[in-house]
């Protein structure tokens, strides 16, 4: 999502989830933070 500038919805479908909300829930459960927050932080760090 950072290198392709993809949004969460696009990324969710690209990796096989049927629902962006399901992807966000599972991502947050695994990594402790929603994907949008991680992407925003990584984009800031790269800038």
């Amino acid at each position: 999502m950072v290198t392709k500038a993809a949004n969460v919805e696009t990324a969710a479908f690209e990796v096989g989830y049927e629902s962006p909300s399901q992807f966000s829930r599972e991502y947050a459960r695994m990594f402790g933070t929603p994907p949008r927050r991680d992407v925003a932080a990584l984009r800031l760090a790269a800038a």
Side-chain angles (χ1 to χ4, degrees), residues 2 4 19 22 25-26 31 35 44:
V2 175
K4 287 185 172 184
S19 150
Q22 178 189 11
R25 268 193 315 274
E26 305 237 358
F31 297 108
L44 279 175

Side-chain angles (χ1 to χ4, degrees), residues 11-29:
F13 292 125
E14 284 183 6
V15 297
Y17 282 88
E18 294 182 12
S19 150
S21 61
Q22 178 189 11
F23 172 76
S24 291
R25 268 193 315 274
E26 305 237 358
Y27 184 100
R29 192 174 301 144

Side-chain angles (χ1 to χ4, degrees), residues 2 37-47:
V2 175
R37 188 176 302 160
D38 274 353
V39 169
L42 289 169
R43 285 182 180 159
L44 279 175

